[in-house]
Amino acid sequence: MKAVFVEAAEQISIKDIEVPALKEDELLIKVAVAGICGSDIHTYKGLHPFRKPPVVIGHEVAGEVVQIGESVTNFKVGDRVTVEPQIGTGESEGIMTGNVNYSDERLAPGMGDWLGTMAEFFVSPEAQAVKLPDSVSYDQGVLVEPLAVGGSCCL
């Protein structure tokens, strides 16, 4: 599959890489739309605190499930989805209260083995995926995460 890599600060390329293998609790999503975020710009400029090149960028996504892991129960091939792009790790207050976004201990696309969304396919844990209603286009679905972030700052 093709994927967008930031190779080093201000060096970007498109590479052919293997489609990631699924774990039993994961979905393989054919990416229809991937968003670009300020954090992707920071990664490109070499300024992001935890997404360090070389890395596949992107964490906003909407697409179609094309394969499911053995233990996946809430999704099927053909489902239209977006993804809540962070997983809590550790035992910080943010994680224990369900506010993973406030935690210094979290995993997001473009960190560790979790590739970013700017690729033909993206792997997500089942727990992070959200079904998109038929009335929501992929162009609208990719905006779910940034709109949620923007809305949560004002609550």
Side-chain angles (χ1 to χ4, degrees):
M1 73 173 177
K2 295 198 181 305
V4 178
F5 271 86
V6 172
E7 301 286 351
E10 300 190 14
Q11 294 181 352
I12 198 163
S13 66
I14 297 175
K15 286 185 173 181
D16 283 312
I17 62 172
E18 294 291 320
V19 175
L22 285 184
K23 295 178 184 165
E24 66 180 27
D25 66 338
E26 293 179 331
L27 313 173
L28 181 64
I29 300 164
K30 179 163 181 38
V31 175
V33 181
I36 187 162
C37 178
S39 64
D40 297 313
I41 303 301
H42 290 132
T43 301
Y44 171 73
K45 290 184 175 185
L47 302 174
H48 199 283
F50 53 83
R51 283 191 188 101
K52 301 294 183 188
V55 63
V56 176
I57 58 174
H59 61 268
E60 299 155 353
V61 66
E64 180 181 334
V65 175
V66 293
Q67 185 179 350
I68 60 172
E70 294 174 12
S71 69
V72 171
T73 59
N74 294 316
F75 295 88
K76 64 183 183 318
V77 170
D79 282 344
R80 300 167 64 256
V81 297
T82 188
V83 173
E84 201 281 294
Q86 50 191 339
I87 299 170
T89 61
E91 296 181 5
S92 71
E93 181 179 348
I95 291 167
M96 291 187 293
T97 61
N99 298 306
V100 175
N101 54 315
Y102 292 124
S103 174
D104 290 338
E105 297 181 49
R106 64 181 184 262
L107 180 64
M111 294 175 63
D113 293 333
W114 199 5
L115 298 178
T117 61
M118 289 194 191
E120 292 180 274
F121 296 93
F122 176 69
V123 171
S124 173
E126 177 181 24
Q128 306 316 117
V130 178
K131 288 182 186 176
L132 292 174
D134 290 339
S135 61
V136 175
S137 71
Y138 288 133
D139 287 341
Q140 294 166 326
V142 77
L143 296 174
V144 169
E145 188 268 346
L147 290 171
V149 170
S152 67
C153 75
C154 306
L155 297 177

